[in-house]
Amino acid sequence: MVREHQPSSSREPADQFISEFTFVEDTLDNRNYKVLLKQEDIVNIAKIEYGWCGEGGNVVFKVIGYEQFKIQLDHYKDILKEKQSLTFIINLNNYHWVTLVITYFQQQFSAYYIDSFGQELPYNISNTLKDEVKNIKDFKIKQHHWYNCGIFALENARVINEALQKSKDPIAAVLDLQLTDDLLKTIREEYARALSRRDKIENKFEVLIKFLERLNKQRLRMQEFNFQNVNILLFFLETLALQDPILQDSGCPDAKSKLWPYEQKLVDQGIIDLDDLKCVQYIRTNKIFHRDAYSEIKPADFKEIVNLKEVDGIKELFQELKKYAEQTYLKLKGEILHQSDCKKLTDLFENRNENVLIGNIITQKQLRKYILLFFKNATAKVCYENDRLNLQKANEIMFTFVVNVIPFIDLRYKKPAEPLGKIKWFRGDLLHTFYKFGDNYKLLGIELKDFMRKYAPYFFKYYYSLEVHSVLCKVGHHDARKIDKNLKGLMQKFQNEKNLSCC
């Protein structure tokens, strides 16, 4: 059975489609769509996009060379479950990917083989199958460009398995698949964004686990909440809540679930529990980062959002958070399917008192003081010793920035001008950057100084406009409202200017 996809072009040297860059770099940075997918790309795409990893799901997925096929089939044929598929993406001659899906239903094996070059089923594969599989459907399609065979192989595997799970005809599903050049580019971009996003998430978990391990060894710092362990708790919430703007794309959250597509996939694949995700998202957003009140939060106030039942409650809390982060990370990597001996986050965090405010209410004057104090501390000599950052002071600065500065900007400007919006977006990345250097306080200091140089002008104008507005209100000028409106417009203009000089 042959389906013409597009007019076949002459064969081009396969070597020209092998790139020194990663698939993500080629696609998103270089806009190079003419590279072959490598084995690791196909494995990761299948894991991230379709949840195909391990042997416990509906699809047992393997990426192999054709010489490995007999060994793999002999291993899995006796353990394949009813209605479970064994899906192979097979590399032929080190340059071409094909699809082979084997199913076991009513004590009988069936196979679906698709070659996008339109070639016959290779003899060694056919010879291996004939002793085990009585029903082999070999249909051939013809792609236009050689470098797209990996995309074809994955898409063919996807539509066949979707049809099998829905008890539909896999052959019809493949024949209905229309992969135009534009669609192939779109699919490549979607795959690349998914890989990039998952890499960022995994990287955050790696950093989080490292610091939870280090914190759990510091017994003396576990008696009460302080700037260091609360910052790590904030980083835990930021990581588990998956709300970083850098993870989001141009799509929109689902109207019903309120989850972004990448969040929904993690929930559907059982990597993150939906109740746990909603719990940390609510605490992170409503209680801390985007709280709807001018309140000053101190480290000790975090007792209001966690369940501390034991005498050594804080120590036990961070041990459980470490265990939860480690097991979630292993599920992200596809190394385990289920968590074991691990408390749910809904048991560790208190998220039922929705109207209870954390911290003490502060005035607009105190708000401005916080902003000025943040910059004063971040640039003061007391924070640095021979260009090495004083970690205790740095933790205090970080806490003030993410908990008692950014939320005020949120309240003041629900739809901030672009520079303030960038500052808010940078919060999660700054938290991550702050921790990734570990104990290298010199690099931490350089990172904090670079941040101050980049964003200080915008913060200063924001602070200055608040001060001027305060003075006008005190004077009681009869045109105060008009001047206030003009000041806000002026600040908006300042914030939208480009190439501003640094403070």
Side-chain angles (χ1 to χ4, degrees):
M1 183 181 300
V2 180
R3 173 167 66 84
E4 293 285 344
H5 177 69
Q6 289 183 8
S8 179
S9 63
S10 60
R11 293 189 177 183
E12 301 159 281
D15 288 347
Q16 78 178 70
F17 303 126
I18 299 175
S19 173
E20 61 182 299
F21 299 100
T22 67
F23 171 67
V24 172
E25 290 170 338
D26 267 318
T27 305
L28 300 184
D29 298 335
N30 304 332
R31 298 298 175 185
N32 180 9
Y33 302 98
K34 298 181 179 181
V35 292
L36 291 167
L37 291 184
K38 301 182 180 70
Q39 179 174 355
E40 63 179 325
D41 297 327
I42 294 176
V43 169
N44 288 328
I45 290 168
K47 177 181 68 177
I48 294 167
E49 287 292 273
Y50 312 127
W52 293 349
C53 60
E55 301 174 1
N58 292 324
V59 178
V60 177
F61 182 76
K62 294 293 174 182
V63 183
I64 61 172
Y66 73 94
E67 69 280 356
Q68 301 170 292
F69 176 64
K70 186 177 188 313
I71 297 173
Q72 291 287 325
L73 182 62
D74 288 343
H75 173 72
Y76 284 105
K77 69 181 181 180
D78 295 326
I79 61 176
L80 201 64
K81 300 174 184 177
E82 188 84 0
K83 293 189 176 181
Q84 193 178 40
S85 84
L86 176 56
T87 298
F88 291 109
I89 302 295
I90 303 174
N91 186 271
L92 303 181
N93 302 319
N94 293 320
Y95 71 87
H96 180 48
W97 297 106
V98 297
T99 306
L100 176 63
V101 179
I102 300 172
T103 63
Y104 183 64
F105 182 58
Q106 294 181 346
Q107 298 184 335
Q108 184 176 341
F109 288 103
S110 298
Y112 304 88
Y113 177 82
I114 310 162
D115 185 334
S116 58
F117 280 180
Q119 302 296 314
E120 296 291 335
L121 179 64
Y123 173 77
N124 63 327
I125 296 178
S126 174
N127 192 49
T128 302
L129 284 173
K130 69 180 182 180
D131 294 330
E132 303 291 344
V133 182
K134 304 304 180 185
N135 185 14
I136 303 174
K137 296 180 174 63
D138 172 15
F139 46 117
K140 298 166 278 292
I141 57 178
K142 289 187 179 180
Q143 67 186 67
H144 185 57
H145 301 294
W146 279 31
Y147 49 79
N148 280 324
C149 61
I151 307 294
F152 271 86
L154 278 165
E155 284 296 290
N156 287 325
R158 176 184 64 81
V159 297
I160 288 175
N161 278 289
E162 286 180 354
L164 290 169
Q165 294 303 318
K166 296 176 181 178
S167 299
K168 294 184 178 181
D169 182 9
I171 297 176
V174 173
L175 295 178
D176 288 341
L177 183 63
Q178 300 295 324
L179 296 177
T180 63
D181 282 348
D182 288 342
L183 182 56
L184 286 164
K185 286 184 179 180
T186 300
I187 292 171
R188 277 181 178 267
E189 290 172 350
E190 289 175 353
Y191 285 165
R193 280 193 292 268
L195 290 175
S196 175
R197 186 183 296 114
R198 184 63 67 90
D199 183 63
K200 287 183 174 74
I201 293 173
E202 289 181 1
N203 190 245
K204 276 197 160 191
F205 271 93
E206 289 169 1
V207 174
L208 173 64
I209 291 167
K210 178 181 68 175
F211 275 88
L212 285 169
E213 287 175 346
R214 188 169 298 163
L215 183 64
N216 277 293
K217 293 177 181 179
Q218 300 170 351
R219 302 290 181 178
L220 295 178
R221 300 184 184 182
M222 302 286 280
Q223 304 304 315
E224 60 184 17
F225 282 123
N226 54 46
F227 288 115
Q228 183 192 26
N229 59 36
V230 165
N231 275 338
I232 294 175
L233 178 57
L234 288 172
F235 191 40
F236 179 92
L237 292 172
E238 186 78 1
T239 302
L240 267 294
L242 302 171
Q243 289 290 283
D244 243 351
I246 60 172
L247 299 177
Q248 297 163 6
D249 51 32
S250 58
C252 297
D254 182 81
K256 185 176 180 181
S257 69
K258 307 299 182 184
L259 297 179
W260 290 83
Y262 71 92
E263 296 174 308
Q264 190 66 59
K265 281 184 180 177
L266 291 174
V267 170
D268 292 343
Q269 294 171 14
I271 294 173
I272 293 180
D273 178 81
L274 179 59
D275 291 337
D276 285 347
L277 178 62
K278 292 292 187 182
C279 171
V280 292
Q281 285 182 350
Y282 170 76
I283 292 172
R284 169 204 176 272
T285 302
N286 295 57
K287 295 284 189 180
I288 303 170
F289 291 143
H290 304 294
R291 60 190 185 277
D292 193 21
Y294 291 108
S295 62
E296 176 191 5
I297 297 180
K298 296 180 180 179
D301 295 323
F302 275 72
K303 290 182 180 179
E304 301 296 324
I305 66 169
V306 297
N307 289 322
L308 300 178
K309 299 178 181 178
E310 306 294 332
V311 175
D312 294 328
I314 295 179
K315 182 177 69 175
E316 298 296 330
L317 169 70
F318 281 101
Q319 288 175 347
E320 288 296 331
L321 295 184
K322 174 177 172 289
K323 189 185 300 183
Y324 192 97
E326 287 174 337
Q327 294 196 18
T328 303
Y329 176 71
L330 291 175
K331 287 198 290 184
L332 278 168
K333 300 287 286 184
E335 295 178 18
I336 63 172
L337 295 177
H338 306 287
Q339 287 175 314
S340 59
D341 189 30
C342 188
K343 289 185 179 179
K344 286 176 62 64
L345 297 183
T346 49
D347 296 328
L348 297 174
F349 290 95
E350 175 60 64
N351 66 332
R352 290 182 289 275
N353 298 324
E354 297 190 9
N355 297 321
V356 175
L357 179 68
I358 301 178
N360 298 318
I361 296 295
I362 64 172
T363 65
Q364 290 279 341
K365 184 176 181 180
Q366 289 172 310
L367 183 159
R368 296 194 298 277
K369 178 183 175 183
Y370 259 118
I371 296 173
L372 188 61
L373 188 62
F374 166 69
F375 282 97
K376 181 180 178 181
N377 287 338
T379 56
K381 290 184 178 180
V382 69
C383 294
Y384 303 91
E385 300 168 2
N386 298 323
D387 281 335
R388 289 167 61 87
L389 193 64
N390 181 311
L391 191 59
Q392 183 176 354
K393 197 66 179 177
N395 270 298
E396 182 179 349
I397 292 170
M398 286 298 301
F399 181 86
T400 302
F401 175 68
V402 300
V403 176
N404 290 323
V405 171
I406 290 294
F408 299 152
I409 294 177
D410 258 355
L411 282 173
R412 187 78 178 178
Y413 297 95
K414 292 294 184 182
K415 294 183 178 180
E418 184 63 18
L420 287 183
K422 287 182 179 178
I423 292 170
K424 290 163 59 178
W425 275 42
F426 193 64
R427 179 200 60 238
D429 202 35
L430 182 63
L431 264 174
H432 178 74
T433 303
F434 181 75
Y435 284 119
K436 78 177 181 182
F437 293 114
D439 289 332
N440 192 328
Y441 303 143
K442 188 168 184 176
L443 289 179
L444 283 173
I446 292 172
E447 190 67 27
L448 189 59
K449 285 181 178 178
D450 285 345
F451 173 76
M452 296 305 301
R453 292 190 190 100
K454 186 174 182 179
Y455 290 100
Y458 306 129
F459 270 111
F460 177 76
K461 287 162 186 163
Y462 170 75
Y463 169 79
Y464 178 74
S465 70
L466 292 178
E467 285 293 304
V468 173
H469 177 251
S470 176
V471 171
L472 286 171
C473 290
K474 286 180 181 179
V475 172
H477 197 288
H478 67 280
D479 284 331
R481 290 185 179 179
K482 182 177 179 180
I483 296 173
D484 174 41
K485 182 178 180 180
N486 289 336
L487 277 172
K488 288 181 179 178
L490 182 62
M491 187 184 71
Q492 186 90 3
K493 180 181 177 181
F494 273 140
Q495 290 166 347
N496 285 320
E497 284 182 354
K498 295 181 179 179
N499 301 319
L500 292 171
S501 61
C502 294
C503 293

